[in-house]
Amino acid sequence: MFRKTITFKLTAGFVVIVLISMLTIGLFFIQMFRQYTFDSKEQVLLERARSISELFSENPQSSSQMRGYGGLMKVLGNLAEAKVWITDDKGNPAAISGTNINMGMGNGMGGKGGGLGNSAGNGIGQAFSKDPLPAEAENVITEVLAGKESISENFSGVYNEATLTVGVPIRNSDQNVVGAVLLHSPVTGITETIDKAIHMLEISLLAALILATGLGIFYSLLFTRPLKAMNRTAVEMTRGNYATRTGIKREDELGQLGNSLDQLAEKLGYTIDQLFQEKGKISDIIASISEGIVAFDLNFNSLSINSALSEIMNQTLVYSNEGLKKDFEALAIYDSLERVIMDKKSLQVLKDWKGKKLRFTLSPIIDNQNKVTGSVALVQDISESERLEQLRKDFVANVSHEFRTPLTVIKGSVEALMDGTVDQTQDIEHYYQRMLAETKGLERLVGDLLELSRLQSGKISIHQEEIYLPGLISDVIKSLQTLADKKEIQIVYQGLPNVPVLNGDYDRLRQLFVIFIDNAVKYSHTSTVITVELNVIKDSTLQVKIKDQGYGIPQEELPYVWDRFYKADKSRQSKGTGLGLAIAKHLVQLHQGQVFMTSEEGKGTTVTVQLPLNICAD
């Protein structure tokens, strides 16, 4: 694991660079020292060899004459600090420093003042044989006898040192090569010096290794510590902690990077907070929407469901994914969603579900690259709007019928009078009465419409006065008793003897109870009883119950009986406009009261009106 860290890599790189640099420089200087030593030695040997060559060129001697030069050769060897060989023009040794020649060297060369012999005599003495020419001298002698100066470097096992062999030609007065001077000398101390230098280099490398390792670790930590801090900050950011900071206070590039990371964390934290706020707002908006909303991914797995959807789909609990999938499969919604995703267009479908009319608005979710990433379904319960639309149609039909019938009667009567078809005074009066009755019916219908419109607009006010409610109810019962007698219906009043006085509008309250008792008479069977009960609740509210024994109203219709233009039983040819109960409800609300209705088909209906004794002035 440590080998994978930046600290290890930086330290190793630093150490390798230092070692390679020092090793290269050390070897370079060792080589330079060796080369300089050899070059210096070569120049010295060459100069001395040239001096000896000039000596023998100025004093040419034959090989036999050189037998007495043993002392001279020894002196020359000491002066030259090297082994000296003198050869003839054939390369045969004529004299060697530090040896004694026991026998002559054959005949000398002809020429002025004699010269070196052409060949050796009977041989060289025993002393000569102990110092043979070195192996590399053969190449040197060959080049020297060719008239060139020659230098040869080699390692001698005898001296255990590097050696130099220098050859210079000996020329006569005619500049002909008549022999050669060879100097053979070890480069004294060069091997030992180089060994010491290598040893010092090894020690230096070891010290440099230790120093480079320490410095490498130190500088690596300077780099890795802020990097580790930035890494910890990045990890914390991935965990959602955008308040974390690197804490790096530097002016270099690492400090700038750390500051940039801190700014990134701050900006991301702010952005995430804003996104969460926006998400919360959207969630609140979606939750407050009365329509159901559900979002799907491409596999039709639900991602988000609001609470309104459960209510619309008649679910008592919050929708689960399994329950939603089951209901949507029953409604064949997934097939429509597939078409929406393929076409990338919204689609509306209407479905009937458990007595409700539902409208599904299906839309694709498209990203910035115009790719569909999911879909969303908006579910609306349009049962109420459909019902209101049907009520509107029914109302138009009813009003049209209500207007058409009297208008037809009035038109027919006027035409009959104008044509002279009716000429009897009695018949003419009858036609006038019919026209008047139909006109009054039209007037009543228009009046009800205007009355309801004023009540709904809130522009109507009440004239408060003290009202004794039992007297008002008795007056209404007397006025409707004639209508009840036609169906042999008995209206019975049951009230307390001492009832508090009520503050309210007499005319509006009378209109209210006329509507309820009149409906009770109209929709009751013959020879039945209508009961009107009056009670006091908690000394602050008067409660009136009107019970009939009529046809009754289905339970599913009860919530809609207070809507205008509504008729519970459309099969009965009622002459009403469906406005009475709507007007009555608004009259109760005008007196800050409440009204309830309970009913059972075939047994009758009960209307309960609760009115406060004191009405708060608006």
Side-chain angles (χ1 to χ4, degrees):
M1 180 62 70
F2 178 71
R3 292 183 178 182
K4 297 181 179 179
T5 61
I6 294 180
T7 302
F8 174 78
K9 294 179 180 178
L10 288 176
T11 303
F14 189 71
V15 169
V16 169
I17 291 173
V18 170
L19 291 180
I20 291 176
S21 300
M22 290 195 64
L23 185 62
T24 303
I25 295 172
L27 294 177
F28 176 74
F29 277 105
I30 291 173
Q31 182 62 27
M32 283 185 63
F33 170 75
R34 182 180 183 279
Q35 191 63 38
Y36 173 77
T37 304
F38 272 84
D39 290 343
S40 300
K41 190 70 173 180
E42 288 173 1
Q43 292 299 323
V44 171
L45 290 178
L46 278 174
E47 290 177 359
R48 293 173 179 173
R50 289 169 187 160
S51 300
I52 295 172
S53 174
E54 290 176 358
L55 175 63
F56 281 97
S57 295
E58 294 175 357
N59 302 285
Q61 301 292 331
S62 64
S63 299
S64 59
Q65 292 176 327
M66 295 183 68
R67 286 178 298 175
Y69 285 171
L72 176 62
M73 294 300 293
K74 185 176 181 180
V75 172
L76 291 176
N78 293 332
L79 291 175
E81 297 180 353
K83 186 71 71 175
V84 181
W85 281 270
I86 305 298
T87 68
D88 58 15
D89 59 350
K90 301 299 182 179
N92 297 315
I96 301 175
S97 63
T99 61
N100 295 318
I101 300 190
N102 297 322
M103 297 181 66
M105 302 292 292
N107 297 324
M109 292 182 60
K112 183 179 179 180
L116 293 174
N118 291 328
S119 60
N122 293 331
I124 300 176
Q126 181 67 27
F128 181 78
S129 62
K130 292 181 180 179
D131 296 283
L133 288 173
E136 65 270 13
E138 297 179 1
N139 296 329
V140 174
I141 292 172
T142 302
E143 292 183 4
V144 170
L145 293 178
K148 301 179 182 179
E149 293 181 350
S150 180
I151 301 173
S152 176
E153 298 179 7
N154 205 341
F155 184 83
S156 174
V158 176
Y159 298 106
N160 197 26
E161 287 280 3
T163 59
L164 283 175
T165 303
V166 176
V168 175
I170 301 174
R171 300 179 185 273
N172 59 17
S173 59
D174 296 329
Q175 297 300 313
N176 295 320
V177 177
V178 296
V181 176
L182 271 67
L183 298 183
H184 181 72
S185 173
V187 185
T188 307
I190 186 66
T191 300
E192 181 181 357
T193 303
I194 292 176
D195 289 341
K196 290 181 179 179
I198 292 175
H199 181 65
M200 291 179 64
L201 180 61
E202 291 174 351
I203 295 175
S204 300
L205 289 176
L206 179 60
L209 175 63
I210 297 173
L211 182 61
T213 302
L215 292 176
I217 293 174
F218 174 73
Y219 283 108
S220 298
L221 292 177
L222 288 181
F223 283 98
T224 56
R225 283 176 181 172
L227 291 177
K228 289 180 179 179
M230 287 185 278
N231 180 62
R232 288 193 298 269
T233 301
V235 171
E236 288 296 320
M237 290 170 60
T238 60
R239 295 172 179 171
N241 181 15
Y242 299 101
T244 183
R245 296 294 182 269
T246 60
I248 299 174
K249 305 296 181 182
R250 297 173 59 164
E251 300 296 331
D252 56 7
E253 289 80 358
L254 288 175
Q256 294 174 3
L257 180 59
N259 292 333
S260 299
L261 191 60
D262 290 341
Q263 292 179 6
L264 176 62
E266 182 180 358
K267 294 293 183 182
L268 279 177
Y270 176 77
T271 303
I272 294 298
D273 289 341
Q274 293 296 316
L275 289 176
F276 273 112
Q277 291 180 12
E278 293 299 324
K279 182 180 179 181
K281 292 178 183 178
I282 293 175
S283 299
D284 293 340
I285 292 173
I286 292 176
S288 63
I289 292 176
S290 59
E291 289 83 5
I293 297 177
V294 56
F296 298 96
D297 59 16
L298 291 177
N299 296 321
F300 303 121
N301 296 316
S302 58
L303 303 176
S304 177
I305 306 173
N306 70 341
S307 57
L309 182 63
S310 302
E311 182 179 353
I312 292 174
M313 299 293 289
N314 293 335
Q315 295 290 328
T316 56
L317 302 176
V318 178
Y319 248 128
S320 63
N321 292 332
E322 293 76 11
L324 178 68
K325 185 175 182 180
K326 179 180 178 181
D327 291 346
F328 273 41
E329 285 178 348
L331 291 168
I333 298 299
Y334 292 122
D335 297 336
S336 301
L337 285 173
E338 289 181 356
R339 187 168 59 178
V340 165
I341 293 175
M342 292 180 61
D343 297 341
K344 294 184 179 181
K345 294 181 180 179
S346 299
L347 177 67
Q348 283 191 349
V349 292
L350 298 178
K351 298 290 183 178
D352 293 323
W353 178 256
K354 296 182 179 180
K356 291 183 177 181
K357 194 77 171 180
L358 303 181
R359 178 168 61 199
F360 290 80
T361 303
L362 310 176
S363 303
I365 301 175
I366 302 176
D367 60 12
N368 295 331
Q369 299 179 355
N370 200 31
K371 293 183 179 180
V372 178
T373 59
S375 56
V376 62
L378 176 67
V379 186
Q380 296 172 292
D381 183 3
I382 59 173
S383 303
E384 182 68 15
S385 59
E386 289 288 320
R387 187 185 64 82
L388 292 177
E389 178 64 18
Q390 186 62 42
L391 286 177
R392 185 189 65 80
K393 292 178 180 179
D394 293 343
F395 167 72
V396 172
N398 290 335
V399 171
S400 299
H401 176 73
E402 293 292 334
F403 274 97
R404 183 174 59 250
T405 300
L407 288 175
T408 301
V409 173
I410 293 173
K411 179 183 178 183
S413 300
V414 172
E415 289 177 348
L417 293 173
M418 290 182 65
D419 294 342
T421 305
V422 180
D423 54 1
Q424 297 294 327
T425 303
Q426 185 178 358
D427 294 335
I428 292 173
E429 184 178 353
H430 175 69
Y431 273 87
Y432 281 143
Q433 289 177 351
R434 289 181 58 187
M435 292 169 60
L436 179 60
E438 297 298 336
T439 303
K440 290 181 179 180
L442 289 174
E443 182 181 14
R444 185 175 63 255
L445 177 61
V446 173
D448 288 345
L449 288 172
L450 292 176
E451 179 75 8
L452 181 60
S453 177
R454 285 195 299 269
L455 288 171
Q456 289 180 333
S457 65
K459 295 180 180 179
I460 193 170
S461 60
I462 61 174
H463 304 285
Q464 291 193 36
E465 57 180 307
E466 292 185 352
I467 302 171
Y468 184 61
L469 199 57
L472 185 148
I473 294 175
S474 298
D475 181 43
V476 173
I477 292 174
K478 289 179 180 178
S479 62
L480 295 175
Q481 188 62 54
T482 303
L483 180 62
D485 289 342
K486 294 179 180 179
K487 298 179 67 174
E488 299 180 356
I489 296 175
Q490 183 180 1
I491 303 175
V492 178
Y493 171 71
Q494 297 177 353
L496 298 176
N498 297 319
V499 178
V501 176
L502 173 70
N503 288 324
D505 190 317
Y506 185 90
D507 293 334
R508 296 298 178 185
L509 290 176
R510 188 179 190 282
Q511 180 185 5
L512 168 67
F513 290 110
V514 166
I515 292 172
F516 287 136
I517 297 175
D518 179 66
N519 280 345
V521 173
K522 287 180 181 179
Y523 299 112
S524 291
H525 299 290
T526 57
S527 302
T528 55
V529 177
I530 296 174
T531 304
V532 180
E533 298 179 358
L534 176 60
N535 296 304
V536 179
I537 302 176
K538 298 180 181 180
D539 297 330
S540 60
T541 303
L542 293 180
Q543 177 177 281
V544 180
K545 285 188 177 182
I546 302 169
K547 301 180 182 179
D548 63 43
Q549 298 173 353
Y551 309 112
I553 302 172
Q555 292 295 320
E556 61 271 13
E557 300 287 345
L558 282 177
Y560 310 118
V561 296
W562 307 106
D563 296 338
R564 60 180 181 174
F565 320 128
Y566 181 82
K567 292 184 178 181
D569 189 355
K570 300 174 180 59
S571 64
R572 296 191 298 271
Q573 300 298 321
S574 173
K575 294 182 180 180
T577 60
L579 300 175
L581 291 180
I583 293 173
K585 183 177 181 180
H586 283 285
L587 290 174
V588 173
Q589 293 175 347
L590 190 64
H591 286 80
Q592 301 174 9
Q594 293 179 317
V595 60
F596 311 98
M597 180 179 291
T598 59
S599 183
E600 187 176 353
E601 285 188 274
K603 293 185 178 181
T605 302
T606 300
V607 176
T608 302
V609 179
Q610 294 179 351
L611 299 172
L613 293 175
N614 296 308
I615 300 175
C616 298
D618 294 334

